[in-house]
Structures are given as structure tokens and as C-alpha cells.
Amino acid sequence: MYSPEVLILTKRKELAIKHKKLVEALNCDVKIFSRLDEAIFEIKNTEPEIIIVSDTIDDVLSEFIKKIRVLTYNFRPVIIAISKSDAMEDKLNALEAGADDFLDESIHSREFQARINAHIRRFLENSINPLTNFIENKVIMKALKRRLKDDISRAVMLVNISGLDFYKEIYGEIAYEKVLQTVAAIINSTLQRDDIAGHYSNNEFLLVTRFLRAEQIAKFLTFAFDNILERFYSEFDFKNNFMLYSSETIEEKKIPLMKLSVAVIETGADKFQNEKQALSVLFNVLKLCKNSKNSCYMIDRPKLYGEISKVEPKNRVMIMEADKALNCLLEVSLKMEGYNVKACDDYQNFMGEYEKFEPDVLILDYGNEYKKQGFSALLDIKEKAPKNKALKIIFSTTVQDKKNILSMGADLYLPKPYDITTLLNWVKRLL
């Protein structure tokens, strides 16, 4: 739960302690300052939600409120003036200077608490995403900034729903909102009182919790998401594990189903200088989830160092095209782009050549309309030589059999005739 920060500026210690207890009962973090220089430093660094200023400070109340308004133009806290004077002129001066409320020192404790709570409620209502009821980016980032400064070991978790934007375009706004609400409900079920959760972006959530609970939460989130995924898709899409997407500028292609990726880092002991540094590490950890087809989580742990073997770049492209003229054109074009190319024009020798070459991208022709040699080759690859799981297959054809081709494992359905530039762009994109 998010705890707003409240600063009390006064030289009357007894009254400040009384107000502090009343405000803390509203689930707020409260700090008391008697020196204005210390208070201004705190305001700049923590960006509190509410500032309560007494007229006992070493400055004219209305003038100091004007100074605060200038200092806080970028985050606009609620300023409440407290005075032992109930003169109309004093009230008007404070309100015109920028105060949001004016209270008499003799105000009853219950009324004081109710007024502060009204300001907190208004702030939270304006900061909450109406779809998920989680706080928005600006507030969760402020919470993260404060947690990094208190030097207590915690976990920060970034929860990403990949593929959600494509899902929204294909299935529509209502289905998209349902996914967000469901994920938010799952996250909310894992939270405890001291935990904080909010939106980093429309498709991402940021959580702050105890580090010992982080892995348990991440494991539950990924498990729960994969188990409810089926209800968001049509039977065809879920069974074949992809969606078909096209637009005016993009040819029809396969889009993977949504997955939930969770990155976890530990804070505390001056591990991060600021929230930007922590987020940078979080996104680097999140990249490790990219190659997983299913939902997964990664935790940043102490690093082990050692020698690693050099990884060869993915640039091997194989062509299986019976038309020798087109085969030659494709081979020359791909070699000019710098790819390591293997061209084959005989379906009988294809599997042997494929197993020797182990391509990263395969351009496979459908073959004869009745013999369907390309279909048979695709089945052989999936059944007899499945070890190359990273292989991307471009299936070129003059036959309109798109759903079956994509269902069998092709990554791209490319109808003939096609432009060579289009093919080269797709090879580059798939690699």
C-alpha cells in the first residue's frame, strides 16, 4: 500500500507531535522540521504529497508558502497553513499565496484528521489507474525513489506483459482491458500491507516488496498467467500458439501469444544511487526473459565470472527452391547482403543438406501443388531434426493454404510472386 509523505514545519514541538500521531494513523509517513533550510532540502529531494506549515516558522507564513510553490512547480504538493490567528485577512493571504487549506490551531483533532484525509483521498483518486486501481507511473516512481534512500533491503519487481499491444489490435479494446484487470487482480492477491504496486507503463507493473517474498511472488505470477492464458484467445490461436496480424504497412505474419516476464532486483546497502539506475538494471534482467516462449522470471543475484566461448553470429540462410532461376537470384542477393548461404533445388537431397548446414533461417518453397514436397520437408524438420529450436522458416508458395502452413511451424507465409527486397527485409528481421 502506498504511504503518502507528509512534512510538518513548525517550532511548536508539542503540537507537531500531536499532529504527527493523527496523520500517521492515516497510513502516512510523517516528518517534523523546525529549521526551514532542512525542510526545503527535504522537499526538493523527497517531493512530499502534503506540507503542513505553521505560522511559528522563522518567516512570514504567506511569503514562505509562495517560496514553496515556486520550488514545487513540477509536482504540486498540497499545502496546508496552520495559524493561531483566525483573522480573515491572514486566511486570505495564505490562500492567495498558494495554500490549499487554512486551519486554526484550536481545530478539533477529529476535524483535523478528517481534513487531512480528504486531501490524501483526493490525491490518491487522481493518481490511480481507473482500469486496474493501481497507482500511476509518477507516484510509483516517487515511492521507489524514497525506498532506495532508506537503506533497507527490499525487492523491486518489473512485471511485463509482452505481446499485449498486438493483442489489443487483434482482439479489441474490451479484451485488452480484461487482460489488464485480470493481471492486476493476480498481482493484488500477492500483496501484503507494506508492499507497493503501480503502473510503470500501460503494459508494465512495478512492485516493491520484501526480498524474501520476491521469488515466491514471481513464481506465482508466471504460473497463474500461463494457466489463465487460454481464456483470452480463440480456440485456433491458442491451439497453434500464435495470432495472425497484418496492417497497411505490415504483411500478414505470426505473432506469439502473450507471456508474463518478471525481473527482480534487490535494493539496500547503497546498491543504487537513484531510481534510474535501478530501472536500468531491471530492464537488463528483463531481457534475459526474451527468448523464453512461456512466462518466466529472472532474479539478479551475485555474479560469477569466468571465460565464455565466443558465440558465432546468426547469419546462415538456406534456400530450398526448385525453380533454378529464382534459386540463383535468391542465393546471389543474400550473399551480397553478407549472409552465409546454402542453396538447394532438390527435395530428395534437402534433409541431408539441411542437417549438415544447420541454418538460422530457411526459405522453403511449397513445391508441386499436388505433391506438396515443401509440406513434407517441413514435417521432416519438425519431427526428425527438431534440435534447432531457434530456426526461423519462411514458407513461399503460390497455393493459398496459409493456416495449415503456419500451424505446421512456419514463421512467415510469403505468397508468390514476392519482391526480393521484401524477402531480404524479413530475413534481416527474423535474424
Side-chain angles (χ1 to χ4, degrees):
M1 184 182 295
Y2 181 72
S3 300
E5 182 161 303
V6 180
L7 301 190
I8 299 176
L9 283 59
T10 182
K11 297 188 79 173
R12 291 191 59 186
K13 189 175 181 180
E14 299 82 4
L15 190 63
I17 292 173
K18 174 187 174 184
H19 288 164
K20 184 175 185 289
K21 290 180 179 178
L22 290 171
V23 178
E24 282 179 336
L26 301 173
N27 189 43
C28 295
D29 296 327
V30 185
K31 296 178 181 177
I32 300 173
F33 292 91
S34 57
R35 290 181 51 181
L36 297 186
D37 57 341
E38 293 178 351
I40 290 173
F41 180 81
E42 184 71 15
I43 290 169
K44 287 180 178 179
N45 283 276
T46 64
E47 300 183 359
E49 281 72 34
I50 298 178
I51 303 172
I52 301 173
V53 189
S54 167
D55 63 356
T56 59
I57 59 173
D58 296 329
D59 200 348
V60 178
L61 182 60
S62 58
E63 292 300 317
F64 185 70
I65 291 172
K66 288 180 182 177
K67 292 176 185 176
I68 295 177
R69 276 287 169 241
V70 173
L71 288 172
T72 61
Y73 71 93
N74 59 333
F75 64 94
R76 187 88 182 48
V78 174
I79 299 177
I80 300 173
I82 294 185
S83 174
K84 47 187 176 294
S85 169
D86 62 352
M88 181 59 68
E89 187 176 349
D90 292 335
K91 291 182 180 180
L92 293 176
N93 286 340
L95 293 171
E96 288 173 359
D100 297 282
D101 205 349
F102 186 96
L103 306 179
D104 194 305
E105 280 188 359
S106 61
I107 187 172
H108 192 280
S109 296
R110 290 177 62 186
E111 183 182 351
F112 173 84
Q113 197 175 44
R115 283 177 177 268
I116 300 297
N117 193 39
H119 288 294
I120 293 170
R121 185 174 62 248
R122 192 174 299 112
F123 163 77
L124 291 175
E125 286 172 352
N126 292 331
S127 306
I128 285 178
N129 184 302
L131 194 62
T132 61
N133 288 325
F134 279 179
I135 53 178
E136 296 284 13
N137 172 273
K138 190 175 181 180
V139 182
I140 191 66
M141 291 304 295
K142 190 185 293 187
L144 177 59
K145 182 178 179 181
R146 292 170 184 167
R147 293 299 183 272
L148 291 175
K149 289 183 177 181
D150 62 17
D151 206 29
I152 297 174
S153 177
R154 290 189 177 89
V156 182
M157 307 174 64
L158 182 65
V159 181
N160 171 275
I161 313 172
S162 61
L164 187 56
D165 289 331
F166 282 117
Y167 179 85
K168 181 180 179 180
E169 290 194 42
I170 295 169
Y171 280 84
E173 186 77 25
I174 296 175
Y176 162 81
E177 291 180 355
K178 198 68 177 176
V179 172
L180 276 181
Q181 289 173 337
T182 304
V183 173
I186 294 171
I187 293 173
N188 195 50
S189 69
T190 68
L191 301 179
Q192 295 184 350
R193 182 177 177 80
D194 295 335
D195 298 339
I196 303 171
H199 279 273
Y200 179 75
S201 68
N202 288 336
N203 303 349
E204 293 169 316
F205 299 90
L206 203 62
L207 281 67
V208 182
T209 184
R210 289 187 291 116
F211 189 75
L212 294 176
R213 295 186 63 241
E215 184 166 5
Q216 182 182 359
I217 292 174
K219 190 180 294 184
F220 174 75
L221 292 179
T222 52
F223 169 80
F225 187 80
D226 281 348
N227 276 273
I228 63 167
L229 194 60
E230 183 177 0
R231 70 177 65 176
F232 299 124
Y233 289 97
S234 67
E235 184 178 351
F236 175 85
D237 286 354
F238 186 77
K239 180 181 178 182
N240 291 284
N241 207 35
F242 65 82
M243 300 178 288
L244 290 175
Y245 174 77
S246 64
S247 68
E248 293 180 358
T249 57
I250 299 176
E251 301 88 352
E252 194 160 38
K253 64 173 183 176
K254 287 169 47 173
I255 300 294
L257 302 188
M258 292 181 292
K259 71 172 184 178
L260 198 74
S261 302
V262 185
V264 184
I265 61 171
E266 185 179 9
T267 67
D270 296 324
K271 288 188 176 182
F272 302 103
Q273 295 180 359
N274 52 52
E275 67 279 13
K276 292 180 181 178
Q277 189 181 35
L279 281 170
S280 177
V281 176
L282 267 174
F283 279 107
N284 285 334
V285 175
L286 193 66
K287 288 178 183 176
L288 300 175
C289 298
K290 184 178 179 181
N291 292 328
S292 173
K293 292 184 178 180
N294 299 319
S295 299
C296 67
Y297 65 91
M298 290 288 175
I299 301 176
D300 185 37
R301 301 191 188 276
K303 300 171 182 61
L304 299 176
Y305 295 91
E307 294 183 0
I308 58 172
S309 58
K310 186 177 180 181
V311 179
E312 293 184 3
K314 292 185 176 182
N315 71 340
R316 296 188 303 276
V317 181
M318 185 171 184
I319 305 162
M320 178 55 247
E321 173 59 64
D323 185 326
K324 293 186 179 182
L326 180 57
N327 192 313
C328 182
L329 176 62
L330 292 174
E331 182 180 10
V332 172
S333 299
L334 288 164
K335 282 183 176 179
M336 289 178 65
E337 293 293 322
Y339 297 112
N340 182 5
V341 183
K342 175 68 177 178
C344 183
D345 58 10
D346 186 350
Y347 288 101
Q348 292 183 350
N349 299 328
F350 167 70
M351 279 308 298
E353 297 291 340
Y354 168 82
E355 291 176 353
K356 291 178 185 178
F357 189 64
E358 293 186 353
D360 300 304
V361 171
L362 170 63
I363 302 169
L364 181 60
D365 180 60
Y366 190 94
N368 184 278
E369 183 178 354
Y370 302 102
K371 293 183 179 180
K372 302 180 180 179
Q373 300 98 318
F375 241 152
S376 300
L378 185 58
L379 287 171
D380 286 343
I381 291 171
K382 295 300 177 182
E383 294 177 6
K384 298 178 183 178
K387 63 179 180 179
N388 189 1
K389 295 182 179 179
L391 173 69
K392 301 296 182 182
I393 301 175
I394 299 175
F395 209 102
S396 64
T397 177
T398 56
V399 180
Q400 296 298 318
D401 198 7
K402 178 172 56 181
K403 284 194 173 183
N404 284 329
I405 290 170
L406 293 175
S407 298
M408 292 303 297
D411 295 280
L412 175 66
Y413 169 84
L414 192 63
K416 289 182 176 180
Y418 53 77
D419 186 82
I420 293 296
T421 304
T422 301
L423 178 69
L424 295 175
N425 288 337
W426 270 110
V427 171
K428 182 178 179 181
R429 192 181 305 178
L430 291 172
L431 285 173

